[in-house]
PDB file of all heavy atoms in Angstrom:
ATOM      1  N   HIS A   1     105.794  96.281  76.967  1.00  0.00           N
ATOM      2  CA  HIS A   1     106.410  96.601  78.090  1.00  0.00           C
ATOM      3  C   HIS A   1     105.663  96.767  79.323  1.00  0.00           C
ATOM      4  O   HIS A   1     106.099  96.669  80.532  1.00  0.00           O
ATOM      5  CB  HIS A   1     107.491  97.753  78.066  1.00  0.00           C
ATOM      6  CG  HIS A   1     108.617  97.435  76.891  1.00  0.00           C
ATOM      7  ND1 HIS A   1     108.462  97.774  75.695  1.00  0.00           N
ATOM      8  CD2 HIS A   1     109.798  96.826  77.087  1.00  0.00           C
ATOM      9  CE1 HIS A   1     109.635  97.376  74.951  1.00  0.00           C
ATOM     10  NE2 HIS A   1     110.460  96.809  75.927  1.00  0.00           N
ATOM     11  N   PHE A   2     104.266  97.108  79.030  1.00  0.00           N
ATOM     12  CA  PHE A   2     103.438  97.355  80.327  1.00  0.00           C
ATOM     13  C   PHE A   2     103.045  96.044  80.981  1.00  0.00           C
ATOM     14  O   PHE A   2     102.215  96.123  81.803  1.00  0.00           O
ATOM     15  CB  PHE A   2     102.110  98.062  79.781  1.00  0.00           C
ATOM     16  CG  PHE A   2     102.286  99.446  79.624  1.00  0.00           C
ATOM     17  CD1 PHE A   2     102.454 100.061  78.354  1.00  0.00           C
ATOM     18  CD2 PHE A   2     102.350 100.301  80.692  1.00  0.00           C
ATOM     19  CE1 PHE A   2     102.654 101.472  78.270  1.00  0.00           C
ATOM     20  CE2 PHE A   2     102.472 101.674  80.638  1.00  0.00           C
ATOM     21  CZ  PHE A   2     102.712 102.283  79.284  1.00  0.00           C
ATOM     22  N   ILE A   3     103.658  94.981  80.599  1.00  0.00           N
ATOM     23  CA  ILE A   3     103.456  93.750  81.320  1.00  0.00           C
ATOM     24  C   ILE A   3     104.029  93.826  82.702  1.00  0.00           C
ATOM     25  O   ILE A   3     103.684  93.119  83.642  1.00  0.00           O
ATOM     26  CB  ILE A   3     104.205  92.507  80.473  1.00  0.00           C
ATOM     27  CG1 ILE A   3     103.640  91.187  81.036  1.00  0.00           C
ATOM     28  CG2 ILE A   3     105.652  92.633  80.680  1.00  0.00           C
ATOM     29  CD1 ILE A   3     104.120  90.063  80.197  1.00  0.00           C
ATOM     30  N   VAL A   4     104.839  94.926  83.018  1.00  0.00           N
ATOM     31  CA  VAL A   4     105.360  95.096  84.271  1.00  0.00           C
ATOM     32  C   VAL A   4     104.370  95.473  85.209  1.00  0.00           C
ATOM     33  O   VAL A   4     104.473  95.495  86.516  1.00  0.00           O
ATOM     34  CB  VAL A   4     106.501  96.173  84.302  1.00  0.00           C
ATOM     35  CG1 VAL A   4     107.767  95.737  83.434  1.00  0.00           C
ATOM     36  CG2 VAL A   4     105.943  97.476  83.771  1.00  0.00           C
ATOM     37  N   LEU A   5     103.072  95.848  84.779  1.00  0.00           N
ATOM     38  CA  LEU A   5     101.993  96.153  85.671  1.00  0.00           C
ATOM     39  C   LEU A   5     101.737  94.993  86.728  1.00  0.00           C
ATOM     40  O   LEU A   5     101.087  95.183  87.688  1.00  0.00           O
ATOM     41  CB  LEU A   5     100.694  96.471  84.970  1.00  0.00           C
ATOM     42  CG  LEU A   5     100.767  97.826  84.072  1.00  0.00           C
ATOM     43  CD1 LEU A   5      99.648  97.946  83.201  1.00  0.00           C
ATOM     44  CD2 LEU A   5     100.928  98.950  84.960  1.00  0.00           C
ATOM     45  N   PHE A   6     102.162  93.844  86.315  1.00  0.00           N
ATOM     46  CA  PHE A   6     101.884  92.669  87.323  1.00  0.00           C
ATOM     47  C   PHE A   6     102.517  92.927  88.569  1.00  0.00           C
ATOM     48  O   PHE A   6     102.221  92.233  89.601  1.00  0.00           O
ATOM     49  CB  PHE A   6     102.388  91.338  86.718  1.00  0.00           C
ATOM     50  CG  PHE A   6     101.492  90.689  85.739  1.00  0.00           C
ATOM     51  CD1 PHE A   6     101.551  90.757  84.336  1.00  0.00           C
ATOM     52  CD2 PHE A   6     100.334  90.034  86.195  1.00  0.00           C
ATOM     53  CE1 PHE A   6     100.705  90.225  83.517  1.00  0.00           C
ATOM     54  CE2 PHE A   6      99.370  89.394  85.344  1.00  0.00           C
ATOM     55  CZ  PHE A   6      99.648  89.523  83.892  1.00  0.00           C
ATOM     56  N   ILE A   7     103.639  93.806  88.644  1.00  0.00           N
ATOM     57  CA  ILE A   7     104.374  93.906  89.930  1.00  0.00           C
ATOM     58  C   ILE A   7     103.553  94.550  90.958  1.00  0.00           C
ATOM     59  O   ILE A   7     103.672  94.312  92.157  1.00  0.00           O
ATOM     60  CB  ILE A   7     105.691  94.790  89.588  1.00  0.00           C
ATOM     61  CG1 ILE A   7     106.624  93.828  88.828  1.00  0.00           C
ATOM     62  CG2 ILE A   7     106.221  95.198  90.901  1.00  0.00           C
ATOM     63  CD1 ILE A   7     107.918  94.536  88.335  1.00  0.00           C
ATOM     64  N   PHE A   8     102.644  95.545  90.502  1.00  0.00           N
ATOM     65  CA  PHE A   8     101.900  96.395  91.543  1.00  0.00           C
ATOM     66  C   PHE A   8     101.045  95.540  92.451  1.00  0.00           C
ATOM     67  O   PHE A   8     101.040  95.757  93.708  1.00  0.00           O
ATOM     68  CB  PHE A   8     101.130  97.531  90.822  1.00  0.00           C
ATOM     69  CG  PHE A   8     102.087  98.601  90.190  1.00  0.00           C
ATOM     70  CD1 PHE A   8     102.315  98.489  88.902  1.00  0.00           C
ATOM     71  CD2 PHE A   8     102.766  99.451  90.946  1.00  0.00           C
ATOM     72  CE1 PHE A   8     103.120  99.402  88.240  1.00  0.00           C
ATOM     73  CE2 PHE A   8     103.597 100.448  90.407  1.00  0.00           C
ATOM     74  CZ  PHE A   8     103.913 100.379  88.954  1.00  0.00           C
ATOM     75  N   PRO A   9     100.263  94.685  91.969  1.00  0.00           N
ATOM     76  CA  PRO A   9      99.474  93.837  92.999  1.00  0.00           C
ATOM     77  C   PRO A   9     100.281  93.042  93.879  1.00  0.00           C
ATOM     78  O   PRO A   9      99.941  92.741  94.989  1.00  0.00           O
ATOM     79  CB  PRO A   9      98.693  92.907  92.020  1.00  0.00           C
ATOM     80  CG  PRO A   9      98.475  93.636  90.628  1.00  0.00           C
ATOM     81  CD  PRO A   9      99.840  94.267  90.599  1.00  0.00           C
ATOM     82  N   MET A  10     101.543  92.684  93.308  1.00  0.00           N
ATOM     83  CA  MET A  10     102.537  91.856  94.308  1.00  0.00           C
ATOM     84  C   MET A  10     102.853  92.787  95.512  1.00  0.00           C
ATOM     85  O   MET A  10     102.938  92.308  96.599  1.00  0.00           O
ATOM     86  CB  MET A  10     103.793  91.477  93.471  1.00  0.00           C
ATOM     87  CG  MET A  10     103.537  90.615  92.336  1.00  0.00           C
ATOM     88  SD  MET A  10     102.775  89.083  92.787  1.00  0.00           S
ATOM     89  CE  MET A  10     101.002  89.486  92.445  1.00  0.00           C
ATOM     90  N   ILE A  11     103.150  94.097  95.245  1.00  0.00           N
ATOM     91  CA  ILE A  11     103.488  94.957  96.429  1.00  0.00           C
ATOM     92  C   ILE A  11     102.367  94.995  97.372  1.00  0.00           C
ATOM     93  O   ILE A  11     102.605  94.892  98.637  1.00  0.00           O
ATOM     94  CB  ILE A  11     103.803  96.319  95.892  1.00  0.00           C
ATOM     95  CG1 ILE A  11     105.098  96.383  94.921  1.00  0.00           C
ATOM     96  CG2 ILE A  11     104.073  97.362  96.940  1.00  0.00           C
ATOM     97  CD1 ILE A  11     105.336  97.547  94.259  1.00  0.00           C
ATOM     98  N   VAL A  12     101.036  95.145  96.906  1.00  0.00           N
ATOM     99  CA  VAL A  12     100.044  95.239  97.754  1.00  0.00           C
ATOM    100  C   VAL A  12      99.833  93.949  98.559  1.00  0.00           C
ATOM    101  O   VAL A  12      99.607  93.950  99.787  1.00  0.00           O
ATOM    102  CB  VAL A  12      98.647  95.506  97.055  1.00  0.00           C
ATOM    103  CG1 VAL A  12      97.444  95.453  97.925  1.00  0.00           C
ATOM    104  CG2 VAL A  12      98.857  96.943  96.333  1.00  0.00           C
ATOM    105  N   ALA A  13      99.913  92.879  97.905  1.00  0.00           N
ATOM    106  CA  ALA A  13      99.715  91.456  98.631  1.00  0.00           C
ATOM    107  C   ALA A  13     100.872  91.324  99.703  1.00  0.00           C
ATOM    108  O   ALA A  13     100.623  90.772 100.801  1.00  0.00           O
ATOM    109  CB  ALA A  13      99.720  90.434  97.651  1.00  0.00           C
ATOM    110  N   SER A  14     102.049  91.635  99.285  1.00  0.00           N
ATOM    111  CA  SER A  14     103.171  91.554 100.359  1.00  0.00           C
ATOM    112  C   SER A  14     102.960  92.467 101.435  1.00  0.00           C
ATOM    113  O   SER A  14     103.431  92.098 102.618  1.00  0.00           O
ATOM    114  CB  SER A  14     104.570  91.982  99.607  1.00  0.00           C
ATOM    115  OG  SER A  14     104.786  91.095  98.494  1.00  0.00           O
ATOM    116  N   GLU A  15     102.312  93.570 101.274  1.00  0.00           N
ATOM    117  CA  GLU A  15     102.324  94.557 102.440  1.00  0.00           C
ATOM    118  C   GLU A  15     101.230  94.048 103.467  1.00  0.00           C
ATOM    119  O   GLU A  15     101.391  94.298 104.654  1.00  0.00           O
ATOM    120  CB  GLU A  15     101.835  95.896 101.969  1.00  0.00           C
ATOM    121  CG  GLU A  15     101.767  96.992 103.037  1.00  0.00           C
ATOM    122  CD  GLU A  15     101.462  98.388 102.507  1.00  0.00           C
ATOM    123  OE1 GLU A  15     101.229  98.400 101.184  1.00  0.00           O
ATOM    124  OE2 GLU A  15     101.337  99.181 103.317  1.00  0.00           O
ATOM    125  N   PHE A  16     100.150  93.427 103.039  1.00  0.00           N
ATOM    126  CA  PHE A  16      99.052  93.192 103.960  1.00  0.00           C
ATOM    127  C   PHE A  16      98.874  91.701 104.298  1.00  0.00           C
ATOM    128  O   PHE A  16      98.053  91.325 105.090  1.00  0.00           O
ATOM    129  CB  PHE A  16      97.802  93.734 103.337  1.00  0.00           C
ATOM    130  CG  PHE A  16      97.789  95.221 103.175  1.00  0.00           C
ATOM    131  CD1 PHE A  16      97.972  95.832 102.022  1.00  0.00           C
ATOM    132  CD2 PHE A  16      97.728  96.013 104.393  1.00  0.00           C
ATOM    133  CE1 PHE A  16      97.902  97.227 101.958  1.00  0.00           C
ATOM    134  CE2 PHE A  16      97.700  97.351 104.424  1.00  0.00           C
ATOM    135  CZ  PHE A  16      97.806  97.963 103.135  1.00  0.00           C
ATOM    136  N   PHE A  17      99.503  90.751 103.674  1.00  0.00           N
ATOM    137  CA  PHE A  17      99.407  89.450 103.940  1.00  0.00           C
ATOM    138  C   PHE A  17     100.643  88.670 104.355  1.00  0.00           C
ATOM    139  O   PHE A  17     101.801  89.151 103.871  1.00  0.00           O
ATOM    140  CB  PHE A  17      98.806  88.665 102.613  1.00  0.00           C
ATOM    141  CG  PHE A  17      97.486  89.212 102.328  1.00  0.00           C
ATOM    142  CD1 PHE A  17      97.204  89.948 101.187  1.00  0.00           C
ATOM    143  CD2 PHE A  17      96.334  88.948 103.216  1.00  0.00           C
ATOM    144  CE1 PHE A  17      95.966  90.429 100.830  1.00  0.00           C
ATOM    145  CE2 PHE A  17      95.056  89.463 102.870  1.00  0.00           C
ATOM    146  CZ  PHE A  17      94.895  90.185 101.666  1.00  0.00           C
ATOM    147  N   ALA A  18     100.608  87.496 104.899  1.00  0.00           N
ATOM    148  CA  ALA A  18     101.743  86.723 105.277  1.00  0.00           C
ATOM    149  C   ALA A  18     102.489  86.360 103.989  1.00  0.00           C
ATOM    150  O   ALA A  18     101.963  86.245 102.868  1.00  0.00           O
ATOM    151  CB  ALA A  18     101.400  85.501 105.986  1.00  0.00           C
ATOM    152  N   PRO A  19     103.873  86.174 104.123  1.00  0.00           N
ATOM    153  CA  PRO A  19     104.757  85.901 102.848  1.00  0.00           C
ATOM    154  C   PRO A  19     104.141  84.676 102.105  1.00  0.00           C
ATOM    155  O   PRO A  19     104.144  84.802 100.839  1.00  0.00           O
ATOM    156  CB  PRO A  19     106.090  85.587 103.568  1.00  0.00           C
ATOM    157  CG  PRO A  19     106.090  86.361 104.809  1.00  0.00           C
ATOM    158  CD  PRO A  19     104.709  86.319 105.268  1.00  0.00           C
ATOM    159  N   ARG A  20     103.707  83.667 102.798  1.00  0.00           N
ATOM    160  CA  ARG A  20     103.248  82.480 101.916  1.00  0.00           C
ATOM    161  C   ARG A  20     102.026  82.842 101.108  1.00  0.00           C
ATOM    162  O   ARG A  20     101.987  82.384 100.054  1.00  0.00           O
ATOM    163  CB  ARG A  20     102.817  81.335 102.929  1.00  0.00           C
ATOM    164  CG  ARG A  20     101.856  81.589 103.957  1.00  0.00           C
ATOM    165  CD  ARG A  20     101.496  80.406 104.840  1.00  0.00           C
ATOM    166  NE  ARG A  20     100.394  80.858 105.841  1.00  0.00           N
ATOM    167  CZ  ARG A  20      99.133  80.759 105.610  1.00  0.00           C
ATOM    168  NH1 ARG A  20      98.676  80.295 104.480  1.00  0.00           N
ATOM    169  NH2 ARG A  20      98.228  81.124 106.479  1.00  0.00           N
ATOM    170  N   VAL A  21     101.154  83.731 101.493  1.00  0.00           N
ATOM    171  CA  VAL A  21     100.054  84.236 100.748  1.00  0.00           C
ATOM    172  C   VAL A  21     100.613  85.022  99.596  1.00  0.00           C
ATOM    173  O   VAL A  21     100.139  84.963  98.465  1.00  0.00           O
ATOM    174  CB  VAL A  21      99.013  84.994 101.782  1.00  0.00           C
ATOM    175  CG1 VAL A  21      97.927  85.543 100.759  1.00  0.00           C
ATOM    176  CG2 VAL A  21      98.558  84.095 102.898  1.00  0.00           C
ATOM    177  N   ALA A  22     101.563  85.973  99.991  1.00  0.00           N
ATOM    178  CA  ALA A  22     102.086  86.820  98.935  1.00  0.00           C
ATOM    179  C   ALA A  22     102.694  86.045  97.782  1.00  0.00           C
ATOM    180  O   ALA A  22     102.671  86.290  96.624  1.00  0.00           O
ATOM    181  CB  ALA A  22     103.077  87.831  99.627  1.00  0.00           C
ATOM    182  N   TYR A  23     103.476  84.971  98.170  1.00  0.00           N
ATOM    183  CA  TYR A  23     104.148  84.080  97.304  1.00  0.00           C
ATOM    184  C   TYR A  23     103.165  83.278  96.445  1.00  0.00           C
ATOM    185  O   TYR A  23     103.387  83.018  95.208  1.00  0.00           O
ATOM    186  CB  TYR A  23     105.136  83.090  97.872  1.00  0.00           C
ATOM    187  CG  TYR A  23     106.409  83.786  98.228  1.00  0.00           C
ATOM    188  CD1 TYR A  23     106.910  83.931  99.578  1.00  0.00           C
ATOM    189  CD2 TYR A  23     107.249  84.250  97.227  1.00  0.00           C
ATOM    190  CE1 TYR A  23     108.095  84.496  99.900  1.00  0.00           C
ATOM    191  CE2 TYR A  23     108.589  84.769  97.623  1.00  0.00           C
ATOM    192  CZ  TYR A  23     108.981  84.909  98.865  1.00  0.00           C
ATOM    193  OH  TYR A  23     110.121  85.540  99.146  1.00  0.00           O
ATOM    194  N   GLY A  24     102.022  82.996  97.039  1.00  0.00           N
ATOM    195  CA  GLY A  24     100.840  82.415  96.212  1.00  0.00           C
ATOM    196  C   GLY A  24     100.355  83.374  95.122  1.00  0.00           C
ATOM    197  O   GLY A  24     100.184  82.831  94.036  1.00  0.00           O
ATOM    198  N   TYR A  25     100.275  84.560  95.458  1.00  0.00           N
ATOM    199  CA  TYR A  25      99.840  85.542  94.439  1.00  0.00           C
ATOM    200  C   TYR A  25     100.968  85.706  93.369  1.00  0.00           C
ATOM    201  O   TYR A  25     100.679  85.954  92.228  1.00  0.00           O
ATOM    202  CB  TYR A  25      99.427  86.901  95.058  1.00  0.00           C
ATOM    203  CG  TYR A  25      98.130  86.943  95.602  1.00  0.00           C
ATOM    204  CD1 TYR A  25      97.860  87.201  97.017  1.00  0.00           C
ATOM    205  CD2 TYR A  25      97.074  86.639  94.877  1.00  0.00           C
ATOM    206  CE1 TYR A  25      96.739  87.291  97.608  1.00  0.00           C
ATOM    207  CE2 TYR A  25      95.706  86.726  95.454  1.00  0.00           C
ATOM    208  CZ  TYR A  25      95.471  86.988  96.701  1.00  0.00           C
ATOM    209  OH  TYR A  25      94.279  86.948  97.225  1.00  0.00           O
TER     210      TYR A  25
END
């Protein structure tokens, strides 16, 4: 279930980069 750890880098990317970059991540 710790596969949910993938969510945390997504939050960071969404906060500091444009949406298209965040969707790329």
Side-chain angles (χ1 to χ4, degrees):
H1 293 90
F2 279 102
I3 198 170
V4 298
L5 292 174
F6 277 102
I7 288 177
F8 293 102
M10 299 302 96
I11 297 174
V12 174
S14 301
E15 182 178 1
F16 295 109
F17 297 110
R20 60 182 179 81
V21 178
Y23 280 114
Y25 279 120

